Each structure stands twice: as C-alpha cells, then as structure tokens.
Amino acid sequence: PGTYLCAGCQTPLFESTQKFHSGTGWPSFAESIGTHVEIANHNNPLQMTLLGAELRCQTCGGHLGDVFADGKLFFGTPAFQTGKRYCIDGAALLFRPKEQEQEGGAHNADNDTVLVRGDMPPPTKPNGDLPDWLKPPTIKAV
C-alpha cells in the first residue's frame, strides 16, 4: 500500500488501492486523488472510450498517460465502480510506500526520501552486478 506521485513534481496522483490489472501492460488506476490529474483535451464520450483523452499533472503539466471511459469492462476491479481507466506511463510515476508516509519517510545516505521510480521496483541482482552485455571490456596490463 502507498501513493503514486508525479515523477516531475512529486504531487500525489493515485492511491495504490485504486490500481488494478487491466492486461494492457500499463499501470492502470480507477480514480485519481482529488483534482491533481487533469484531462488535457476534452473528447466526446465515444472518442474517450476508444481513443482516450490525454492526462497531465495539474501541478507541473507533465504528461501522465490517457484516460478511457471503458472501466465497466473490468468487472471486479475499482474501475468497474468509476467507469474509467487511467492508463498511466510507468516512467511518469514515483511510488511512496505507506510506511514512509506514516514514519516521515525512509531516507538514504544523502537524507533524501527513498521513492521507487516507476510502477514496480527494479529487479535486484546479487552484488549489484551488471549483465554481461553492459559490462565494460577488460583491459589487460602490458
């Protein structure tokens, strides 16, 4: 549990309780927090269902993704209740776990609040090793 924030300005956008699996490959939410997410172009209902309407952060104007009026297709999810599906670009999000909100935030060595970039935390590798194709070439001393 936690809150998804705008990656540009850290404005709270979505509660994790509103996130659901839509099968689209994009993080999907049923409802935003307050008026922090705005529809940039108002389409008619048919266009909004089929093509979506662009979403932007109301604070910084950053592009977030699109909203579709097809939430009723996702029976058993929060979107079924709202009738909307906020389809958000994972790179436009930061995730702040609930524990950090309650405890004033976990901090790293620079005393910055630790946030997870994107929709999901990156997979961890033992010892922080890079994949072979990203490792620099070995230079032999002569």
Side-chain angles (χ1 to χ4, degrees):
T3 305
Y4 288 90
L5 314 173
C6 174
C9 66
Q10 296 189 13
T11 297
L13 301 174
F14 301 98
E15 293 292 338
S16 62
T17 56
Q18 293 298 310
K19 188 170 187 285
F20 69 98
H21 179 70
S22 66
T24 62
W26 296 84
S28 296
F29 299 88
E31 191 171 30
S32 64
I33 296 173
T35 59
H36 298 169
V37 175
E38 66 181 3
I39 298 175
N41 53 356
H42 295 282
N43 295 330
N44 71 43
L46 181 60
Q47 286 177 319
M48 191 169 161
T49 301
L50 299 174
L51 304 173
E54 182 185 9
L55 294 173
R56 294 193 171 270
C57 172
Q58 188 178 37
T59 305
C60 70
H63 174 76
L64 299 173
D66 297 285
V67 62
F68 297 87
D70 62 358
K72 294 290 184 188
L73 297 175
F74 300 95
F75 184 75
T77 70
F80 187 78
Q81 301 298 319
T82 65
K84 294 182 180 176
R85 174 174 52 99
Y86 291 81
C87 193
I88 307 299
D89 182 349
L93 298 173
L94 297 172
F95 180 70
R96 181 175 54 210
K98 191 63 116 181
E99 304 84 53
Q100 289 185 22
E101 294 171 5
Q102 293 170 347
E103 298 170 10
H107 295 84
N108 62 14
D110 297 326
N111 206 28
D112 295 326
T113 301
V114 177
L115 300 171
V116 177
R117 285 214 163 273
D119 177 42
M120 296 172 47
T124 55
K125 291 193 142 254
N127 303 326
D129 288 336
L130 293 173
D132 290 337
W133 59 273
L134 276 178
K135 289 182 181 174
T138 306
I139 300 173
K140 296 180 182 177
V142 183

